[in-house]
Amino acid sequence: MTYSRITGTGSFLPEKILTNHDLEKMVETSDQWIKERTGISKRHIAVEGETTCDLAEAAARHALESAGVTASEIDLVIVATTTADKIFPSTACLLQKRLGIHGPAAFDVQAVCSGFIYAITVADKFIRTGSAKKALVVGAETLSRITNWEDRTTCVLFGDGAGAVVLEASEEPGILSTHLHADGNYDELLHVPAGISLDFELVKQGRAYMEMQGNEVFKMAVRTLGRIVDETLVANNMQKSDIDWLVPHQANIRIITATAKKLNMPMERVVVTVNEHGNTSAASVPLALDVAVRDGRIKRGDTLLLEAFGGGFTWGSVLLKF
Ligand code: UT7
């Protein structure tokens, strides 16, 4: 049986940092409120001219290097993003060009904060069915471009960044199972209410911003992530104690803590980066993974549960042996 296995990880954050104290000068908020309600202290922000593809490229190069794979060996490129550089071509095609990859399939996946979980699921299926052998899967975002910096209910939450993995065909597991869900009935609780085909005028005026009913999203996220933890364990006939590391989407420390509690998992076994990065949407899970791999916490053979919840609503999980 062929599995797909992560053989390398990488990440990249823009140099510019925006602290809670910086935000105190921009909107009616406080470092204390942001830390208590979200766990966030700072976030990285792309400077003018620094694009999603720039961040994706840097993260991808780190992942390729750590896998010991050259770009020319990659036969599938998937980028999860909500903040593509251009309307088209896809950021995956732009990334392919930067890396000098010619020919294999490249496409973007748009599932907002669950984007990386969706993208790695698709790549896993390509590899399991023999359609690809070495996939580059990236989550990259410049959410700062769709953030309303006058809206305190959203602007304190988000940041920019990218994370990437190289996924290779292997006889050893690997990804054990993936679980994807969506319910489009909740679209207006977390969205940008304009796009190419709807209210394009807002986009042209640079006023197409994220809007969120935070409280409602919070409750749904906690409930839904609790359910997906159960679904993933049952599908693999595993106990909570079989999971070595939880690598969650980094939206809010209180959501992360609730999911850890559901798993009876001490916070020492949970990778937390939300304090340093804020919510980087599709980049958050691969960024957190790379941080914990590089600092030596996550080791080969560990069992990891990756999960995310985001706009759509979309949600999903991946259980894997690292
Ligand atoms: O990644 C995709 C999924 N996204 C998420 O999972 C985010 C989910 N939501 C959340 O993380 C939380 O709901 C927030 C952090 C967004 C908000 O926390 P909350 O505990 O749900 O606060 P709230 O929205 O109920 O607001 C409480 C109060 C309100 O004031 P009143 O009405 O009680 O007087 C807000 O106006 O806090 C006020 N508030 C703020 N105060 C200071 C809202 N934003 C701020 C702020 N600074 N930045």
Side-chain angles (χ1 to χ4, degrees):
M1 175 156 173
T2 304
Y3 293 94
S4 71
R5 198 170 144 258
I6 294 176
T7 55
T9 65
S11 60
F12 184 77
L13 291 156
E15 212 170 294
K16 183 181 166 192
I17 288 173
L18 190 70
T19 65
N20 292 350
H21 295 295
D22 294 330
L23 281 161
E24 282 174 345
K25 294 176 202 135
M26 295 161 66
V27 287
E28 182 85 32
T29 192
S30 67
D31 175 53
Q32 189 189 354
W33 189 95
I34 302 170
K35 276 191 189 142
E36 278 177 13
R37 299 295 181 116
T38 72
I40 301 169
S41 300
K42 56 182 187 174
R43 69 288 289 144
H44 292 248
I45 302 291
V47 292
E48 209 182 322
E50 192 173 27
T51 71
T52 294
C53 194
D54 292 333
L55 312 186
E57 181 187 355
R61 289 192 187 280
H62 289 148
L64 288 166
E65 194 186 346
S66 85
V69 167
T70 60
S72 60
E73 294 173 71
I74 293 295
D75 56 6
L76 175 66
V77 180
I78 309 181
V79 176
T81 188
T82 306
T83 46
D85 281 25
K86 298 184 182 185
I87 293 168
F88 73 84
S90 67
T91 307
C93 283
L94 304 182
L95 176 62
Q96 218 194 18
K97 176 180 169 187
R98 301 267 189 103
L99 297 174
I101 301 172
H102 304 277
F107 54 90
D108 287 359
V109 164
Q110 215 280 49
V112 204
C113 297
S114 312
F116 180 77
I117 300 293
Y118 268 65
I120 197 169
T121 297
V122 174
D124 175 58
K125 298 201 185 299
F126 266 73
I127 289 177
R128 277 177 189 257
T129 55
S131 303
K133 293 234 168 332
K134 294 186 187 194
L136 177 63
V137 186
V138 184
E141 301 279 15
T142 46
L143 284 184
S144 59
R145 304 275 151 75
I146 51 168
T147 298
N148 179 353
W149 293 103
E150 291 175 1
D151 174 10
R152 69 174 184 172
T153 68
T154 53
C155 76
V156 302
L157 304 172
F158 300 99
D160 301 335
V165 301
V166 173
L167 211 57
E168 293 189 55
S170 160
E171 294 312 305
E172 303 284 317
I175 290 181
L176 299 170
S177 74
T178 59
H179 306 264
L180 297 185
H181 295 279
D183 189 342
N185 287 301
Y186 297 97
D187 64 323
E188 290 186 1
L189 291 185
L190 172 53
H191 66 155
V192 176
I196 309 309
S197 181
L198 175 72
D199 290 336
F200 189 47
E201 205 48 44
L202 274 180
V203 179
K204 287 199 283 188
Q205 291 165 6
R207 293 194 297 119
Y209 297 132
M210 279 181 284
E211 293 176 5
M212 176 166 66
Q213 306 291 323
N215 221 304
E216 294 303 313
V217 177
F218 184 94
K219 284 185 269 184
M220 280 293 288
V222 170
R223 267 204 307 274
T224 309
L225 291 170
R227 279 206 307 270
I228 204 149
V229 163
D230 288 336
E231 178 186 330
T232 312
L233 290 172
V234 168
N236 290 279
N237 201 15
M238 276 192 181
Q239 308 300 314
K240 294 173 179 174
S241 56
D242 293 327
I243 311 290
D244 295 313
W245 291 99
L246 175 64
V247 187
H249 171 49
Q250 311 283 324
N252 186 319
I253 190 65
R254 292 184 290 140
I255 299 175
I256 296 173
T257 309
T259 312
K261 204 167 160 199
K262 172 91 194 166
L263 273 167
N264 297 334
M265 205 157 207
M267 287 307 283
E268 297 79 58
R269 308 301 288 176
V270 181
V271 182
V272 175
T273 55
V274 67
N275 52 327
E276 301 276 309
H277 303 165
N279 180 348
T280 58
S281 188
S284 95
V285 170
L287 247 167
L289 175 65
D290 185 53
V291 165
V293 169
R294 284 179 192 263
D295 69 21
R297 275 178 289 169
I298 292 179
K299 298 198 169 46
R300 283 277 157 226
D302 284 351
T303 302
L304 316 186
L305 178 60
L306 280 44
E307 48 84 341
F309 178 91
F313 289 140
T314 56
W315 63 100
S317 66
V318 177
L319 189 81
L320 62 92
K321 282 261 175 226
F322 188 69

